[in-house]
Amino acid sequence: MSRNEGTIDRTLRILVGLLLLALVFVGPQTPYGWVGLVPLVTGIVGICPVYSIFGIRTCSLPQQ
């Protein structure tokens, strides 16, 4: 699979993922914060399965 997320997209996903995961350990300590794993992992890997299904690319240069 080729990368389909751009730098800004990846950065935002990682930040949102970390913020959601923080809800598990601090603040309201809700288990819903584990949802943050999804944007965190997709941001780190650079591949979004939903983007692949719909043919969306935020990455400016094609990567292999």
Side-chain angles (χ1 to χ4, degrees), residues 8-47:
I8 295 173
D9 191 7
R10 291 179 71 191
T11 303
L12 289 174
R13 286 172 182 264
I14 291 171
L15 289 175
V16 168
L18 290 173
L19 288 173
L20 287 172
L21 278 174
L23 293 176
V24 174
F25 303 105
V26 295
Q29 296 181 345
T30 176
Y32 295 114
W34 290 110
V35 173
L37 285 174
V38 175
L40 182 64
V41 170
T42 59
I44 291 172
V45 174
I47 299 170

